[in-house]
Amino acid sequence: MTTVSTPQVAGAALLLQDFSLEMTGKDTPKLQAAAESIPAGTRINVTYLGNEDLPLRLAAARSVQQLGLVPVPHVSARRLESQAQLEEFLAALRDSGTQQSVFVVGGDPTQPHGPYTDSFDVIRSGLLQKYGVGQVGLSGYPEGHPQIPQAELWAALEQKAALLVAEGLAGDVITQFGFDAAPVLTWIGQLRERGIDLPVRVGVPGPAGVRRLLSYAARFGVGTSTSIARKYGLSLTNLMGTAGPDRFIHTLAEGYDAAAHGEVKLHFYTFGGLGATSTWIDDFRTKEGLK
């Protein structure tokens, strides 16, 4: 059994008190199989992938709700081909009662497929409120973005946070995943200094193979220097092994100061391993005496 200090236990308890998970539309069978290990009311983000259609996304959101969990459908701004397509999606969410919370992101395409160049455009359209959305998730990048300068990232986040207030929408910030807790804590401190008091959900990679974690890190531009990788627990000499976020969570919990950092939770990127991630969280909470 892992033994951690009292500050770590207290910090981990706060961080894991209301964690969230991520899934794709195709992960519905995995979610159903894993549901027993996921606390009721857990927020489940449903991604908006280019190779998944509207019925698949809606079925996933409905399945989340039927299991006693909270669906958070994604809206990918640059993937939307028209205002009508956005309204069709939002109307379908409303009709199924799964529209309360959404996560709005710019999305992968370099060029927009329609009228929305970024998440700001979607939020300021007024369509979210029209179809009953009350809470909006935003993206955060503690280690930067491979294609967007840091100054632009901060300016965009400040504008979107202010827009949520102006539009009467609740919100939170979900960060890109990383392997080093230090820049995450620094970034949250800077966020608060800039007057953004939205709750933050720190992106955490669920347990996965070392090779797979490194491939995702390379894809999303996340820092993976040898020292950081080893600090996280990735064995670069054993790429066939697996790693969980134990050390990352312990380090984050030890440095977390609720007075300075505000409300902070964890958001787990499952990378297709929804069952493995939910089981890992359940075991971790038991092992650390957090249940």
Side-chain angles (χ1 to χ4, degrees), residues 76-254:
S76 181
R78 285 189 290 274
R79 290 193 184 280
L80 295 167
E81 297 178 359
S82 64
Q83 177 179 323
Q85 186 181 37
L86 173 58
E87 293 206 55
E88 179 186 15
F89 182 47
L90 294 174
L93 293 177
R94 180 198 58 196
D95 292 345
S96 63
T98 58
Q99 85 291 347
Q100 175 57 34
S101 297
V102 299
F103 177 77
V104 186
V105 65
D108 293 333
T110 303
Q111 297 297 323
H113 295 173
Y116 306 106
T117 59
D118 53 26
S119 54
F120 186 86
D121 284 346
V122 172
I123 298 169
R124 72 175 175 177
S125 72
L127 295 175
L128 300 180
Q129 303 94 307
K130 175 182 176 180
Y131 288 96
V133 173
Q135 196 272 349
V136 178
L138 308 174
S139 298
Y141 300 90
E143 295 186 68
H145 189 287
Q147 298 174 329
I148 305 174
Q150 191 67 30
E152 290 185 22
L153 289 173
W154 277 121
L157 187 54
E158 288 175 334
Q159 290 172 349
K160 286 181 281 190
L163 181 60
L164 291 184
V165 174
E167 296 289 342
L169 293 165
D172 61 10
V173 180
I174 300 179
T175 76
Q176 178 59 278
F177 73 90
F179 297 126
D180 189 2
V184 174
L185 291 167
T186 297
W187 182 86
I188 295 174
Q190 294 171 341
L191 186 77
R192 302 315 183 199
E193 290 172 359
R194 291 171 179 267
I196 301 175
D197 60 1
L198 297 174
V200 173
R201 291 183 176 272
V202 175
V204 181
V210 173
R211 188 184 299 275
R212 189 173 196 184
L213 288 172
L214 290 175
S215 69
Y216 273 103
R219 175 183 172 187
F220 292 107
V222 176
T224 55
S225 70
T226 300
S227 61
I228 292 175
R230 286 177 177 163
K231 184 191 299 184
Y232 186 83
L234 301 181
S235 174
L236 301 184
T237 59
N238 180 18
L239 295 179
M240 299 304 293
T242 60
D246 313 53
R247 297 184 191 180
F248 180 89
I249 294 175
H250 285 159
T251 305
L252 191 69
E254 189 171 18

